[in-house]
Amino acid sequence: MTTISPMTQDDPPATETTMRGLIKHHAGPELQLVNDRPIPEPGPREVRIKVKKVGICGTDRHIWEWDEWAAGRVPPGIITGHEFVGHVDKIGTAVTKCEIGQRVSAEGHMTAGVDYNSRTGNAHIAADTKIFGIDCDGCFAEYIVVPEDNVWHMHPDIDDKYAAILDPLGNAVHTVMSADVSAKTVLISGVGIIGLMAVTVAKAAGASRIYCTDVNPPRLELAKKLGAYAAYDARDDSWVHDVRAQTHEGVDVLLEMSGAPAAMNQGFRALRNGGTAALLGLPARTVDFDFNAHIIFKGCTVLGINGRRMWETWYQMEQLLLSGRLELDDIITHEFPMSEYQEAFRTMISGDGIKVLMNVSD
Ligand code: ZN
């Protein structure tokens, strides 16, 4: 057990061999900023990155609140965070794909690359996946070390504030692109951070009309601003009839982003026969679901979506960002210095903010 010295905004900066980091300091709620974490050294095929800007994810909220999932998975003591942009600061002795100074982000899903899926183009669902910031030290710190194979080189025309959130944007892009939305009607159930991103991604990818549902009226308004044709409060399910009447007996594509059992059932009712459902939202428990009506007799295609395809999703994100067609500025609502992490998390958890970023270094 290492000792932990809590720090405030007035505390001295870390030394030449130590750094500041936001750690899960105990098996309980909240995180703590410390300044005495050793600066990590990269192994032979690893890269050290000086972190500049990070994003707070819904997953970080679970870790902050220390819910059942977090308590069962996250080892106390680790540095949290998995969404970031920074610069390569040091490379291992056998590294061939990265150079010091390059602006980079990284894919958070790490695999040894030896299992069936990693070797057949599906590393995002590898059996041995570990995620930094969840299973081991992450990016809410001045430095992070990642395998060189996980590094993504950032296009110079992509702003840091977008570069810092490619992890969740990649979830949205992976979901939308898996379902082939071009010239199709699309229902997005759940417009939290990733659902809102999916609205602008689906619009950019050529969806015809986008319908959204949620139980949060301001988020529904924002979904419309980002390009949704109509947005409905899911607490009154009369919208299902309206949407079926406005489309060819239902939407072509359902993108399920809520994980709420009621929304999943509504969404499948609104999906036309032969449609495609891509499921990203995670239900908290087993769901009561009518397979006969919703899948079998409907003849629909159901896709489970996990992570980002390596590296197809990252190339798609790069090109969508460079196209100028993604509207992310209303989704990224706040930026704080990492020293104000408590206010940053409060802003995100209260719902006052949507995507909240923290600045780790200049
Ligand atoms: Zn995330």
Side-chain angles (χ1 to χ4, degrees):
M1 215 19 220
T2 51
T3 51
I4 289 157
S5 32
M7 73 177 283
T8 67
Q9 272 159 264
D10 303 324
D11 276 10
T15 65
E16 268 175 26
T17 55
T18 64
M19 65 174 186
R20 296 185 304 135
L22 200 46
I23 66 166
K24 185 81 232 178
H25 56 301
H26 68 155
E30 301 198 15
L31 300 174
Q32 192 169 61
L33 188 59
V34 298
N35 59 13
D36 58 358
R37 287 296 279 221
I39 295 175
E41 284 298 318
R45 297 200 56 216
E46 291 179 332
V47 171
R48 186 169 75 196
I49 300 160
K50 187 169 190 342
V51 179
K52 187 172 183 189
K53 205 182 268 295
V54 298
I56 302 179
C57 181
T59 305
D60 300 318
R61 176 191 179 155
H62 293 297
I63 298 173
W64 175 277
E65 293 177 336
W66 202 243
D67 64 10
E68 219 175 286
W69 169 83
R73 169 134 181 199
V74 179
I78 65 160
I79 295 165
T80 54
H82 55 270
E83 306 174 3
F84 77 97
V85 63
H87 290 88
V88 175
D89 164 77
K90 189 171 186 182
I91 59 174
T93 50
V95 165
T96 58
K97 300 170 193 163
C98 296
E99 287 171 25
I100 289 168
Q102 287 172 327
R103 191 170 69 114
V104 296
S105 186
E107 167 58 55
H109 286 207
M110 300 179 290
T111 161
V114 295
D115 75 316
Y116 177 86
N117 278 302
S118 296
R119 289 169 61 89
T120 54
N122 291 303
H124 62 295
I125 48 170
D128 64 340
T129 297
K130 278 198 167 56
I131 306 176
F132 57 71
I134 293 173
D135 301 308
C136 55
D137 279 347
C139 66
F140 290 170
E142 290 178 89
Y143 299 92
I144 181 175
V145 164
V146 301
E148 71 164 326
D149 284 340
N150 280 62
V151 171
W152 174 258
H153 296 275
M154 203 59 64
H155 191 287
D157 293 342
I158 294 175
D159 193 276
D160 278 341
K161 70 179 176 205
Y162 309 133
I165 57 166
L166 295 187
D167 177 282
L169 181 63
N171 289 143
V173 168
H174 182 189
T175 312
V176 171
M177 300 309 267
S178 71
D180 182 17
V181 300
S182 174
K184 302 248 177 83
T185 52
V186 175
L187 167 64
I188 299 173
S189 55
V191 282
I193 298 169
I194 296 173
L196 288 169
M197 289 175 169
V199 174
T200 187
V201 171
K203 186 93 182 160
S208 57
R209 285 184 171 178
I210 300 166
Y211 299 89
C212 293
T213 63
D214 203 288
V215 293
N216 181 329
R219 298 280 169 99
L220 289 169
E221 278 311 306
L222 180 52
K224 279 205 268 190
K225 190 178 172 202
L226 296 176
Y229 172 73
Y232 300 96
D233 193 319
R235 287 169 290 198
D236 170 8
D237 73 355
S238 61
W239 67 267
V240 175
H241 180 265
D242 292 353
V243 167
R244 288 185 64 89
Q246 289 174 46
T247 53
H248 297 298
E249 299 96 37
V251 294
D252 300 309
V253 173
L254 163 64
L255 307 179
E256 211 307 299
M257 303 271 177
S258 74
M264 299 179 97
N265 279 294
Q266 286 178 357
F268 274 89
R269 279 169 55 209
L271 182 67
R272 70 164 165 77
N273 286 3
T276 298
L279 313 184
L280 180 81
L282 298 174
R285 57 192 66 83
T286 306
V287 175
D288 192 18
F289 184 82
D290 187 341
F291 275 80
N292 299 1
H294 293 333
I295 297 180
I296 300 167
F297 291 125
K298 192 159 260 191
C300 66
T301 302
V302 179
L303 306 168
I305 307 295
N306 181 12
R308 298 142 298 279
R309 293 192 68 87
M310 291 166 247
W311 291 85
E312 185 184 14
T313 306
W314 291 79
Y315 284 108
Q316 289 167 335
M317 275 194 281
E318 176 183 78
Q319 292 309 308
L320 285 165
L321 284 164
L322 294 177
S323 78
R325 278 184 268 159
L326 295 188
E327 307 262 355
L328 298 170
D329 291 346
D330 287 319
I331 300 173
I332 303 168
T333 55
H334 293 79
E335 282 193 41
F336 294 92
M338 189 168 70
S339 55
E340 293 173 23
Y341 70 98
Q342 283 167 317
E343 183 59 12
F345 271 84
R346 191 208 61 75
T347 301
M348 189 262 190
I349 291 169
S350 66
D352 291 347
I354 303 175
K355 194 71 205 173
V356 176
L357 307 184
M358 294 191 293
N359 291 307
V360 179
S361 63
D362 297 330

